[in-house]
Amino acid sequence: MNTEYRILLSAYKVFLKYGYHGTTMEKIAKDAGVSKSIIHYYFRSKENLYREVMGTISDGLQYLTDFEYTDAYLTWFLVSELRNNSTMFLDALKNHADIDWEKKTEEVLVNAFNSIPPVDFLFKKEIV
């Protein structure tokens, strides 16, 4: 696995776990096993890395229909980011597809809340 991909995978996990404001470059670097300067070389800033991660998430979300997605981690992340970081979150999604993200996010959340047992959502396990 190349370094850039390893950083993106770690960033995805760390952003899902801590949200934008709770994520630091140190946490991503530690998870990826690289230095912060390597992350800066590839992505320049936490905001750029967040936008890349959101691109990955939006690629997946735009093709989901109805009842397909029931991941408690992603649902928790969507709720958290909409509450704490909605402007940047929705702007990052809008940069990746011509879709009504407010409506799509609402659809995914409603479907997830209807299909995830409350205990799984409230007491999410560590992301492996």
Side-chain angles (χ1 to χ4, degrees), residues 46-84:
K46 179 174 127 176
E47 185 174 339
N48 287 344
L49 188 50
Y50 181 79
R51 289 186 184 283
E52 287 293 322
V53 168
M54 293 313 301
T56 302
I57 291 171
S58 71
D59 289 346
L61 288 178
Q62 69 182 336
Y63 298 110
L64 296 178
T65 57
D66 300 328
F67 196 71
E68 289 181 283
Y69 208 83
T70 61
D71 187 317
Y73 299 114
L74 182 58
T75 303
W76 177 85
F77 175 75
L78 293 174
V79 170
S80 174
E81 291 302 282
L82 285 170
R83 182 179 55 224
N84 300 320

